[in-house]
Amino acid sequence: MGSFVITASSTCDLTKKKLESMDVPYGKYHYTLDGREREDDFFTSISAAKFYGSLDAGASSVTSQVTPEDLGAMFESRLSRGEDILHIEFSSGLSGGYESAVAAANVMRARYPERKIYVVDSLAASSGYGLLVDKAARLKKGGMGIDELYAWLEENKLRVRHWFFIPNLSYLRKGGRISAAAAAVGTIMRICPVMDVSAEGKLVVRKRVMGKRLAMKEVFSRMCEEAEGGTNYAEKVFICNARRPEAARELAGMVEAKFGHMRGRVSIYETGAVIGSHTGPGVVSLFFFGETKRDK
């Protein structure tokens, strides 16, 4: 069996330590916070508290995708060691990062024609994307080869469920997800949209509820309805949050009380700067594997 490495990008919203423990190199997205360009580096160069505090204070953050050059350099560092590449990229429905990965792969295929280079459009985001990367790393560790793993990812990637709520509607308005009028009315009425990621890898509002408490219950109920195996769910569960650790822990407790057979305890991660630039502080997300593939 040929040696290969799984690679990803920083928008998987895990941690640097977690990716290193799985031997998953990653490309970095970028963002510009109040005129200063930064790397999406899992809050190494700036803390999450400072980043989200800046947003709360009115700072603007503009994001940019990982470049073909950065990904190409990452690929070549492992190709030159005789390893094949299986790259899993952030959803093409939310960014041009997948196109960057394909462009980098094409350059590297010409340079290393004897090597295999696969690129997977995860159609996933944040720690849902991370959940897919984690699963791929475990399958690789269990002995699955690159061809079989690539086929598995293409067949199963839409089983990753993303359910989340965003209390601050101003960030959805800035991103063009809702109109200014809808944001104003929603804020007055304390409307909290419950969203997921569609089969096309795009953010979709599925329900609007009043307040964060009902939004959390709705997110939890979606897992109760959709989790693979029902209450016998035996896979991992990830939760991601942007400066809402109490809500994340409360949601984790609800999941652990209901799903006693899952793989370990719920893992809680911080929403990264690129994702957080679009959601703002306050977002809480729940990720798990579903019985069937996502709807549009």
Side-chain angles (χ1 to χ4, degrees), residues 75-219:
F75 293 166
E76 189 159 33
S77 69
R78 305 303 287 254
L79 291 166
S80 63
R81 290 161 51 173
E83 294 178 300
D84 295 329
I85 300 289
L86 175 54
H87 181 71
I88 309 172
E89 186 50 62
F90 184 53
S91 172
S92 63
L94 298 171
S95 166
Y98 174 69
E99 285 73 18
S100 290
V102 170
N106 287 337
V107 171
M108 290 299 116
R109 288 189 186 105
R111 195 172 296 175
Y112 296 89
E114 73 283 5
R115 300 261 61 90
K116 293 179 180 178
I117 306 174
Y118 289 122
V119 178
V120 176
D121 179 359
S122 70
L123 297 172
S126 191
S127 297
Y129 169 25
L131 185 65
L132 190 66
V133 171
D134 176 87
K135 177 66 174 182
R138 287 188 284 119
L139 290 173
K140 175 179 180 282
K141 186 176 181 180
M144 188 175 286
I146 189 170
D147 300 315
E148 186 181 0
L149 182 51
Y150 172 70
W152 186 93
L153 287 166
E154 290 294 347
E155 176 63 27
N156 291 278
K157 62 188 182 184
L158 290 181
R159 288 178 43 240
V160 177
R161 291 294 195 274
H162 310 61
W163 284 103
F164 56 101
F165 59 91
I166 303 177
N168 192 334
L169 299 182
S170 65
Y171 291 92
L172 293 178
R173 176 186 59 77
K174 290 177 183 177
R177 304 291 176 186
I178 60 176
S179 68
V185 172
T187 299
I188 293 171
M189 298 294 293
R190 295 176 50 247
I191 297 298
C192 190
V194 175
M195 307 176 70
D196 80 341
V197 173
S198 72
E200 296 174 338
K202 299 179 180 180
L203 303 185
V204 182
V205 177
R206 297 298 188 188
K207 193 170 184 178
R208 294 172 175 84
V209 300
M210 293 186 64
K212 292 177 283 187
R213 177 63 51 187
L214 288 179
M216 184 182 295
K217 289 182 178 179
E218 179 66 22
V219 163

